[in-house]
Amino acid sequence: MNAFVLLLCEAPFCCHFVEFANTVAAKVDRLRSWQKAVFYCGMAVVPIVISLTLTTLLGNAIAFATGVLYGLSALGKKGDAISYARIQQQKQQADEEKLTDTLEGEL
């Protein structure tokens, strides 16, 4: 069932015999990446919780992997080194200011 739902959502041209395939695919395409990630990972975890066997794990690995990939795409690109260094420098300056304020308060 999970494989059919995954195929219906991701490749509706393979299910041309199902009348509502294009409607389902259009609705899934409107979802954000993180929503697709939650849907696919949740869809894969439910059978594993019900029956933890090797075949269940292997059978739902594809759906879970698809959810993980959508989740990673929802996180976006990794930040560049310049903006990361700028954020670290601002944090360091804020920490130094707090330290000097506490030291001045003790005197």
Side-chain angles (χ1 to χ4, degrees):
M1 185 66 182
N2 279 348
F4 177 71
V5 171
L6 186 64
L7 193 65
L8 187 66
C9 294
E10 291 296 318
F13 60 88
C14 293
C15 302
H16 59 85
F17 57 89
V18 179
E19 295 176 7
F20 58 89
N22 290 331
T23 307
V24 171
K27 288 182 181 180
V28 171
D29 285 340
R30 285 184 284 184
L31 294 176
R32 294 184 177 135
S33 293
W34 69 268
Q35 292 169 329
K36 288 180 186 178
V38 170
F39 175 70
Y40 288 136
C41 287
M43 183 176 71
V45 168
V46 170
I48 294 171
V49 170
I50 293 171
S51 172
L52 182 61
T53 61
L54 182 63
T55 56
T56 308
L57 285 172
L58 294 176
N60 289 299
I62 297 294
F64 192 80
T66 304
V68 168
L69 290 176
Y70 273 117
L72 290 174
S73 71
L75 291 176
K77 286 177 37 178
K78 181 179 162 184
D80 60 342
I82 296 171
S83 62
Y84 180 73
R86 187 177 301 129
I87 291 170
Q88 291 299 326
Q89 184 180 14
Q90 290 172 351
K91 285 182 182 179
Q92 185 179 8
Q93 288 175 352
D95 290 342
E96 289 174 359
E97 289 175 4
K98 287 179 186 177
L99 183 62
T100 56
D101 289 343
T102 56
L103 289 176
E104 289 175 1
E106 291 176 2
L107 295 176

